[in-house]
Amino acid sequence: MYRYPVAEPDIGEEELRNIVEAVRSGWISSKGKFIDEFEREFANYIGMKYGVAVSNGTVALHLALVAIGIGPGDEVIVPDLTFAATINAVLYIGAKPVIVDIHPEYWCMDPDSVDRAITPKTKAIIPVHLYGHPCDMDPIIEIASKYDLYIIEDAAEAHGAEYKGRKVGSFGHVSCFSFYGNKIITTGEGGMVLTNDGELAERMRILRDHGMNPKKRYWHEVIGFNYRMTNLQAAIGVVQLSKIDKFIEKKRRIAKIYAEELSSTPGITLHPEMPWAKNVYWLYSILIDPSKAKITRDELSERLEKEGIETRKFFYPLHEMPIYAKYGIYSYPVATTISRQGLNLPSSTKLTEEDVRFIARKIKESVST
Ligand SMILES: Cc1ncc(COP(=O)(O)O)c(C=O)c1O
């Protein structure tokens, strides 16, 4: 247990009351009023028509890919710097992931690299809004329209983030969210796929429920899955959703304090927010340039750990891991550098202003002495 965790669930009495209500009602599996409410309200919050609640963010991606009809022989473009679930979902369906580099200024998929990676086999692009910062969607949408590709947004880390005033998760043909315990809102485990396409939503509902015909019980027309969310999870989700703006405000306040304290520290690059972006700073992150700071990223992480301050090193670039290396057919200078320099800092909504200032000062002290 760290005194200052990177993230932690922020769950209160209201969530508990809803869970008790769900348990007392007997609706503890995947039917019940909270599921419908959570799907409707979350879709509405992001600005999409339909929500399909599922058991986690990984299966959200898998379900979306299956429902769209992507499979063997198809290529799907993914960024080099992301959590492995993004590329794994592509591999589950037998399609070929194509890894592209990220942008140096905002750490998400680089649209120019996407453009260069298009082949006649490309079927979809999965932009990942990393650590709370949106991707640059306009050029990605332009490429997708030009080559008739699907956009599947991976918004697992960016609930409520905005691109040019519009929430991420409202740009793709589908968008996928995670409600894991460390996410901006949580249901314990959980996920959701959003879309404006009613037929696609219906297909995902059927696939989520064993591929069963909704009008003819135990009659299966497609090979489906059990990817359903429980009413208990959704009972937490609806309350969490009612607090989302408060959580985001807190994350942005934490970011502001880190930025104030660390802005002129040699060797530290702050978590960016591009002029077109609203970053929700899911995990406030910094880069430590070893040629300018007095210590390396890894040394800083160790030093902070001794003070009870948890940090996380950035994801490894996908192309470096042997199981994914063959999908890394380009060069990845940006992702490689940023992955080695990046550190996620404590970003829990339960941190006080004094906590964040204390952590920031410890960082400053450590990199300057
Ligand atoms: C970018 C990204 N995609 C997908 C996932 C998968 O979500 P889950 O853990 O709910 O399966 C996560 C995180 O956990 C993630 O960070």
Side-chain angles (χ1 to χ4, degrees):
M1 278 292 281
Y2 289 93
R3 195 158 150 221
Y4 305 106
V6 160
E8 65 193 316
D10 194 341
I11 293 176
E13 289 303 314
E14 307 92 317
E15 284 89 340
L16 279 180
R17 275 199 290 277
N18 260 22
I19 297 170
V20 170
E21 185 187 328
V23 172
R24 290 215 167 109
S25 77
W27 297 102
I28 57 169
S29 293
S30 49
K31 286 199 176 78
K33 69 168 193 176
F34 291 121
I35 296 177
D36 301 335
E37 186 183 340
F38 188 40
E39 288 183 334
R40 203 175 48 244
E41 303 270 306
F42 189 73
N44 185 41
Y45 176 77
I46 297 295
M48 285 287 233
K49 275 197 196 149
Y50 307 100
V52 180
V54 292
S55 31
N56 59 66
T58 307
V59 304
L61 288 163
H62 183 215
L63 188 66
L65 288 161
V66 174
I68 285 172
I70 294 169
D74 297 332
E75 292 180 1
V76 179
I77 299 176
V78 300
D80 197 23
L81 199 66
T82 181
F83 183 61
T86 315
I87 191 168
N88 285 345
V90 177
L91 292 166
Y92 298 159
I93 55 162
K96 182 180 163 199
V98 175
I99 303 171
V100 297
D101 206 0
I102 58 165
H103 195 281
E105 282 180 295
Y106 54 90
W107 313 342
C108 299
M109 171 180 268
D110 170 33
D112 289 338
S113 304
V114 174
D115 200 28
R116 284 194 293 272
I118 303 290
T119 76
K121 292 183 175 170
T122 311
K123 275 281 156 50
I125 307 170
I126 309 187
V128 180
H129 308 293
L130 195 76
Y131 301 136
H133 195 288
C135 295
D136 190 0
M137 292 308 296
D138 279 349
I140 295 174
I141 291 167
E142 203 176 302
I143 295 165
S145 323
K146 186 168 161 197
Y147 297 101
D148 200 17
L149 310 173
Y150 289 99
I151 294 177
I152 297 155
E153 290 182 76
D154 184 341
E157 305 183 356
H159 318 58
E162 291 176 15
Y163 176 72
K164 298 189 177 171
R166 204 170 120 190
K167 289 199 177 67
V168 304
S170 68
F171 292 91
H173 295 89
V174 294
S175 58
C176 299
F177 290 83
S178 163
F179 306 117
Y180 185 70
N182 62 7
K183 296 299 190 290
I184 291 179
I185 60 168
T186 185
T187 58
E189 293 274 1
M192 198 163 330
V193 190
L194 303 182
T195 183
N196 284 329
D197 179 338
E199 273 176 37
L200 189 66
E202 192 49 30
R203 203 148 59 239
M204 291 194 285
R205 289 181 199 288
I206 292 169
L207 284 164
R208 167 182 73 172
D209 191 20
H210 302 282
M212 191 151 50
N213 184 328
K215 297 201 183 82
K216 194 169 167 184
R217 196 167 217 186
Y218 303 133
W219 187 259
H220 302 258
E221 280 151 13
V222 287
I223 298 169
F225 317 96
N226 178 356
Y227 280 176
R228 299 173 308 224
M229 175 181 271
T230 67
N231 199 43
L232 289 176
Q233 290 166 293
I236 305 174
V238 289
V239 182
Q240 286 273 293
L241 184 59
S242 72
K243 300 175 177 175
I244 192 168
D245 288 331
K246 205 179 79 187
F247 291 153
I248 291 171
E249 210 175 290
K250 184 69 192 280
K251 295 265 187 198
R252 288 180 58 80
R253 176 84 196 123
I254 290 170
K256 195 155 177 274
I257 300 169
Y258 276 128
E260 270 169 29
E261 295 284 342
L262 298 171
S263 65
S264 49
T265 315
I268 289 191
T269 302
L270 301 176
H271 203 158
E273 179 170 60
M274 298 300 280
W276 38 260
K278 178 181 178 183
N279 189 345
V280 286
Y281 301 100
W282 168 53
L283 297 182
Y284 189 85
S285 309
I286 53 173
L287 304 181
I288 295 122
D289 179 348
S291 69
K292 297 194 186 113
K294 294 260 167 60
I295 56 170
T296 65
R297 187 265 317 257
D298 292 7
E299 285 163 348
L300 174 63
S301 171
E302 276 162 36
R303 243 190 246 188
L304 294 174
E305 176 147 3
K306 291 200 183 95
E307 304 278 351
I309 301 169
E310 185 188 22
T311 58
R312 295 261 170 89
K313 293 167 195 170
F314 272 22
F315 301 124
Y316 292 102
L318 292 176
H319 80 273
E320 284 187 0
M321 289 180 261
I323 49 168
Y324 307 123
K326 69 174 166 196
Y327 310 111
I329 54 173
Y330 300 102
S331 65
Y332 305 94
V334 182
T336 305
T337 305
I338 286 177
S339 160
R340 299 211 198 320
Q341 297 188 357
L343 197 64
N344 306 128
L345 304 181
S347 307
S348 161
T349 49
K350 292 182 175 176
L351 293 172
T352 65
E353 175 157 348
E354 292 69 43
D355 291 338
V356 184
R357 291 204 192 277
F358 170 80
I359 298 162
R361 285 179 193 145
K362 286 284 167 202
I363 294 170
K364 213 159 152 177
E365 222 173 86
S366 305
V367 297
S368 326
T369 52

